[in-house]
Amino acid sequence: MSTAKPEREYFLDSIRAYLMLLGVPFHVSLIYSTQKWAVNSTDASLWLTLFNDFIHAFRMQVFFVISGYFSYMLYLRYQPQRFLKVRLERVGIPLLTAIPLITLPQFFMLKEWTQKLSGWDNFSLYEKFNNLMWELISHLWFLVVLVVLTTLGMLTFRWLRDQKHAIDYQRVGWGSLTLGVMAWALLWCLLRRAIFIFQPDWLMNGLFSIGVMQSLFFMPFFMLGALSWKHKALKQLFVRFNPVMCFGAIVVFVAYCANQRMSSGEGWLYELDALISTLMGLCMLNVCFCFGHKLLNSHSPRIMYLVNASLFIYLVHHPLTLLYGIYITPHISNNTLGFFVGLIMVFGIAFLLYEIHLRIPLLRFLFSGKPQNK
């Protein structure tokens, strides 16, 4: 256990905040993309579809690397039981708060005002339960995954801390790192294909899909973050510009778009998506870290405001986006104009709600999991 606080990694705080806030343009653009969502515009926009695909292709992989980095840092600072308590409070309390205050009302909104849950009265009891789980978790899925990975961290972090014969990370490059992470992705694909063949209903179960499959998919990125804390050479690899990784992101993104449009769910869409998304995540990890380290590695009150606001903004933006799509989108014929109007409205209302919640200590605690000083 280490009680000394390391120097703050401003660029990692900033990247994590921006990745969280990217959830707003991601979901607003989803309205205008070719992806089928709860609400869609009459005609899809090509550039907004590509914009939406680009965000989706890498955002959460990089996010989980940063989460693993800070989680392992806290694991070393506290006793393991204290670490688990602090992390589960920071993640679990906002999760449990958002379900009754955000996603439960959102569920009734979707049920009454959209076609997403049409035929609800004819659903079986299991179908009702499963659809309810999907909608209650909704955009909070990453918090569920963080709870799972944090709990598993009691084992994986202990193994990492007690590792005696460490790899010489001075010699590790992007090639060997990519092979290792892609090997895990391939194992994930084999597991999914086996489940698809023998127990396909499991993949439609919200709790299994998120709690097991998503957690397993993002685990190597979470552990990459922890490894980069322990081995500084690995973090230096991430922040050092690599032209192959940076420009390779363009090629991988083309492959991502091709898979989305040419593959099918009955075929190899999801397995190919996992492999491509893993590679895209590694490429964009270098892009985000090297440019973030160069441009964002300094203290800024404005950036710190966004860092502190980002989780709350992400939690409340989803129902606001759906309301915008239901009531405003049909009245704006131009997709580009509708997208930017949606951004202004959703961000504006979300930041207003954030300022209101700052003035209520109970809400500050519920949406952050942090004890509030008197």
Side-chain angles (χ1 to χ4, degrees):
M1 180 181 69
S2 173
T3 57
K5 288 189 177 182
E7 183 180 351
R8 184 149 191 166
E9 303 279 8
Y10 291 109
F11 80 102
L12 291 180
D13 278 330
S14 300
I15 295 171
R16 181 172 56 178
Y18 283 126
L19 291 173
M20 191 77 69
L21 293 173
L22 268 179
V24 179
F26 170 73
H27 285 113
V28 175
S29 65
L30 197 55
I31 297 174
Y32 301 100
S33 75
T34 56
Q35 300 288 345
K36 183 175 176 57
W37 201 39
V39 288
N40 287 107
S41 61
T42 305
D43 299 310
S45 165
L46 175 60
W47 85 265
L48 286 171
T49 298
L50 294 175
F51 176 73
N52 182 270
D53 285 346
F54 177 70
I55 295 174
H56 189 257
F58 78 92
R59 183 171 68 101
M60 296 312 297
Q61 296 93 302
V62 180
F63 173 86
F64 277 105
V65 172
I66 299 174
S67 296
Y69 182 92
F70 286 122
S71 294
Y72 187 65
M73 178 188 73
L74 291 177
Y75 179 84
L76 296 180
R77 182 184 302 172
Y78 301 127
Q79 293 288 353
Q81 291 75 15
R82 174 66 176 165
F83 155 79
L84 187 63
K85 178 179 182 296
V86 169
R87 289 300 295 162
L88 290 183
E89 285 176 349
R90 300 285 175 86
V91 176
I93 291 175
L95 170 63
L96 295 176
T97 298
I99 289 175
L101 295 185
I102 296 175
T103 58
L104 182 59
Q106 178 180 279
F107 164 77
F108 289 107
M109 180 177 72
L110 290 172
K111 183 173 176 291
E112 298 298 326
W113 298 338
T114 74
Q115 297 298 313
K116 185 174 184 180
L117 295 170
S118 59
W120 174 265
D121 294 335
N122 298 322
F123 287 179
S124 67
L125 183 61
Y126 171 75
E127 289 173 332
K128 289 182 177 179
F129 171 79
N130 191 38
N131 275 276
L132 181 62
M133 289 301 99
W134 278 110
E135 299 306 328
L136 289 185
I137 295 174
S138 185
H139 63 298
L140 312 178
W141 67 267
F142 76 100
L143 293 176
V144 176
V145 173
L146 276 176
V147 168
V148 174
L149 294 180
T150 298
T151 305
L152 290 176
M154 293 291 286
L155 298 175
T156 56
F157 288 170
R158 182 175 65 184
W159 167 82
L160 182 60
R161 181 197 62 191
D162 298 339
Q163 195 178 34
K164 300 300 183 183
H165 303 288
I167 300 172
D168 183 5
Y169 282 91
Q170 296 285 351
R171 299 179 179 272
V172 172
W174 281 108
S176 55
L177 194 65
T178 300
L179 286 176
V181 177
M182 291 297 286
W184 178 273
L186 183 59
L187 290 175
W188 186 94
C189 292
L190 294 174
L191 173 62
R192 188 195 181 279
R193 180 52 51 168
I195 295 172
F196 180 76
I197 294 172
F198 297 107
Q199 292 290 343
D201 289 343
W202 289 7
L203 299 175
M204 300 302 295
N205 183 283
L207 292 176
F208 179 83
S209 179
I210 295 171
V212 177
M213 298 305 292
Q214 291 283 65
S215 297
L216 288 175
F217 177 77
F218 287 108
M219 182 180 291
F221 294 98
F222 190 75
M223 290 305 297
L224 267 185
L227 282 166
S228 66
W229 168 266
K230 180 172 183 178
H231 303 286
K232 301 306 179 184
L234 197 57
K235 187 173 78 170
Q236 289 302 313
L237 177 69
F238 294 167
V239 301
R240 187 167 58 248
F241 178 79
N242 184 295
V244 174
M245 299 302 290
C246 291
F247 293 107
I250 300 173
V251 177
V252 179
F253 178 60
V254 172
Y256 178 88
C257 293
N259 182 55
Q260 292 294 313
R261 286 148 186 81
M262 299 174 64
S263 301
S264 66
E266 293 76 19
W268 296 89
L269 169 66
Y270 295 105
E271 287 81 5
L272 289 173
D273 179 81
L275 294 172
I276 296 170
S277 296
T278 296
L279 190 54
M280 185 70 177
L282 289 172
C283 290
M284 290 303 296
L285 172 61
N286 185 227
V287 173
C288 293
F289 272 48
C290 70
F291 287 104
H293 186 262
K294 182 177 181 179
L295 302 174
L296 301 172
N297 199 24
S298 61
H299 175 71
S300 166
R302 292 180 181 178
I303 296 298
M304 292 310 299
Y305 176 84
L306 293 178
V307 168
N308 294 326
S310 59
L311 176 60
F312 181 91
I313 299 300
Y314 182 81
L315 294 179
V316 302
H317 89 279
H318 199 264
L320 296 176
T321 304
L322 289 170
L323 286 172
Y324 174 80
I326 294 169
Y327 288 108
I328 308 298
T329 294
H331 301 288
I332 302 178
S333 58
N334 185 287
N335 286 339
T336 300
L337 176 62
F339 170 70
F340 286 107
V341 171
L343 283 185
I344 293 170
M345 292 185 65
V346 172
F347 268 127
I349 297 173
F351 276 106
L352 176 62
L353 293 174
Y354 174 70
E355 287 296 328
I356 293 173
H357 116 285
L358 286 179
R359 290 154 177 78
I360 305 174
L362 177 60
L363 288 180
R364 288 205 310 270
F365 166 71
L366 291 176
F367 280 100
S368 69
K370 301 177 182 179
Q372 302 298 306
N373 295 327
K374 293 183 179 181

